[in-house]
Amino acid sequence: MDQFVLNWIFIGATFAVYIGIAIWARAGSTSEFYAANRGINPTVNGMATAADWMSAASFISMAGLIAFTGYDNSSFLMGWTGGYVLLAMLLAPYLRKFGKFTVPEFIGDRFYSPTARMVAVICLIVCSVTYVIGQMQGVGVAFSRFLEVDNTTGLLIGAGVVFCYAVLGGMKGVTYTQVAQYVVLIIAYTIPAIFISLQLTGNPIPALGLFSEHTASGEPLLARLDTVVQELGFAEYTGHHGSTLNMVLFTLSLMIGTAGLPHVIIRFFTVPKVADARWSAGWALVFIALLYLTAPAVGAMARLNLIDTVYPNGTAEAPIAYEDRPQWMATWEETGLLTFTDANDDGLIQWYNAGSDSFAATAEERGWAGSELNVNRDILVLANPEIANLPGWVIALVAAGGLAAALSTAAGLLLAISGAISHDLIKGQLNPSISESGELLWARIAMAGAIAVAVYLGLNPPGFAAQTVALAFGLAAASIFPALMMGIFSKRVNNHGAVAGMLAGLLVTLLYIFLHKGWFFIPGTNSFSDADPLLGPIKSTSFGAIGAMVNFAVAYAVSNSTEEPPQDIQDLVDSIRVPRGAGAAVDH
Amino acid sequence: MADKPSNNEYWSANIRLVTYCMVIWALVSFGFGILLRPMLSGIAVGGTDLGFWFAQQGSILVFLALIFFYAWRMNALDRQHGVDEE
């Protein structure tokens, strides 16, 4: 069957399932809309959380980030999973016990301060909106590549589907579609990985294949990879090259940022009990680990496959001729994400590290005038089945999986945004006497509005879109996580301390990012760059952890020099700390 | 709410448990995966060393074990101190 028809069948079938779920799981109350009536089984919630969390970045980009850098990008693997340990032990069970609907609501109540709540609302909206842009772009790219529709049409179809289940079903609809989307995305990710691992190492489990023998060469796969990349002047794959301090801080920032992302936290409001919130965090990581343990294998194997494709007779021999390139290269050239420029006019594809000084002599000797192949790291996972010559249905499955990853995360983010607007801004601030049906209507209007904004930004992405992911994690790490943690683990931190801490963490992190990336990301207005950062080796992407430390320090200092929180707030903290009574605290 | 002394005992038992878990969490990721990797470089694992394995596989597996251990211990602590959900 034609590849194009297969793609339509797979994507069409998965979309039909999502819409079916939307019709079945309509929300009738605010409790259903915000928290699925707190009736979600912890394992099911774990699966939904995994889909909520694993975005287009995890599915499409992460393996590529690891493939082209190797060990140095292990930060993504440790950071994006280690955050769940923090979430399980420091936040999720307590926030579930608190028994309200949004993250800013906890901050506002615990620090008895509408100002604190509004600061949290602003952080939440900035984090979530910047994050949603990437998902929308992912949807557009996947559609235009696999269904051959233009970017705009693809994005509108994707947004239409999200609209169906998010506006109708709220958290309830989103939860069950996320479960379906998880199943689609994990199958789509692991099946090609298993095929490739079998081809290269004979081991069906990619995570084990990564440390097995490469059948073709008889060497361990990673040793083989180290050899071939160095023969082309690239850095050793398993070696550690950057600054150790920066790697530690970057990993820590990703961990704290993960634990502070509101769209992940609110998923834990949907389980029936505090004990369930603990189990659920474990289940979430089980389902996430299935992808995250596979990703480094996908990255390493794709890199090796790619080098073998370009140098079929080994890196010491001549590369393949452009005329003889495989079909998948030609297909991806059309998208502009893979480019070839014949720098020395010999018709062969030389691909090597032209930036390496030590390799320059070898390149000159071989008559190479620059690296001629440019592969966008984002195409690696999507092109993987084609690189490994897998059957057409696997390619269609990967397309459906990429869309599932992007749509499930987009829906979770939109839910967090709409809750902040209808519950924190409208009910909490502007119109506290609003009826339940009025609030539900506003939640739906806010959701529709958020989708419209996301579509607009997806179609007209600000030039800084790629850089704002650092912003989302930085803000979550520097403002939201410390405020939540202090709210639970300290009775002494008061309203002044929390507001001062959040603002200090937020401003110092923004300042550091803007100094390196330009003010409001306007190119040329930066005073430093991540190649030569202000503070030693600390890049702007790693600054979230320092922002969090500033937040903690300022909050403690200010709280200790001002009055204690009132007795009823101290009692509130006591009650959050014990699970008993969670049922009674539910649903005001 | 249950009586205060029991709560305090419950809370300090919780803090102890979380502290132990956090030490292991930091040890396998920042420790074995990054800072202590040079010390583990002598231990070969499939074409590379143990530190690389911890950075790309081992830390995630330990995180998983930690969360389930914590959930199991905490749920038991809740019952011991009579603060579990009825």
Side-chain angles (χ1 to χ4, degrees), chain A residues 515-526:
Chain A
L515 279 173
H516 291 76
K517 302 281 189 189
W519 288 91
F520 301 95
F521 301 105
I522 298 165
T525 57
N526 55 317

Side-chain angles (χ1 to χ4, degrees), chain A residues 91-315:
Chain A
L91 303 182
Y94 306 103
L95 295 175
R96 171 62 193 84
K97 172 63 199 294
F98 180 64
K100 298 289 178 67
F101 291 139
T102 67
V103 170
E105 191 176 18
F106 172 78
I107 292 178
D109 284 8
R110 164 60 184 85
F111 299 113
Y112 46 102
S113 157
T115 316
R117 191 171 181 176
M118 284 310 116
V119 173
V121 167
I122 292 166
C123 291
L124 183 153
I125 290 178
V126 174
C127 282
S128 305
V129 169
T130 51
Y131 216 109
V132 91
I133 300 172
Q135 310 310 316
M136 287 307 194
Q137 285 178 301
V139 172
V141 169
F143 264 107
S144 56
R145 164 66 186 81
F146 292 104
L147 299 184
E148 295 168 28
V149 296
D150 71 312
N151 205 16
T152 314
T153 317
L155 218 156
L156 288 174
I157 299 174
V161 174
V162 174
F163 185 90
C164 280
Y165 62 79
V167 173
L168 272 182
M171 180 58 102
K172 196 176 160 197
V174 167
T175 301
Y176 291 109
T177 34
Q178 281 176 337
V179 170
Q181 283 158 340
Y182 176 78
V183 174
V184 173
L185 81 85
I186 200 67
I187 293 174
Y189 203 84
T190 46
I191 285 188
I194 290 170
F195 273 118
I196 292 165
S197 181
L198 277 171
Q199 284 176 355
L200 289 186
T201 67
N203 194 319
I205 300 169
L208 299 178
L210 179 61
F211 299 92
S212 303
E213 190 175 283
H214 178 231
T215 355
S217 65
E219 289 175 69
L221 184 116
L222 284 167
R224 174 79 192 152
L225 187 53
D226 273 343
T227 311
V228 295
V229 295
Q230 291 183 94
E231 280 169 359
L232 296 172
F234 294 105
E236 188 188 20
Y237 189 83
T238 59
H240 183 165
H241 309 287
S243 141
T244 306
L245 174 65
N246 185 63
M247 186 173 177
V248 167
L249 284 175
F250 183 46
T251 309
L252 186 61
S253 300
L254 292 178
M255 287 177 176
I256 303 177
T258 299
L261 284 175
H263 72 285
V264 177
I265 296 175
I266 56 172
R267 285 239 46 96
F268 293 92
F269 297 172
T270 66
V271 295
K273 297 199 297 180
V274 175
D276 294 332
R278 296 175 187 141
W279 290 126
S280 200
W283 283 113
L285 191 54
V286 168
F287 295 120
I288 291 167
L290 286 177
L291 191 147
Y292 273 60
L293 293 172
T294 307
V298 170
M301 291 173 189
R303 178 90 178 266
L304 194 55
N305 260 340
L306 206 53
I307 292 174
D308 284 341
T309 306
V310 178
Y311 295 91
N313 303 314
T315 43

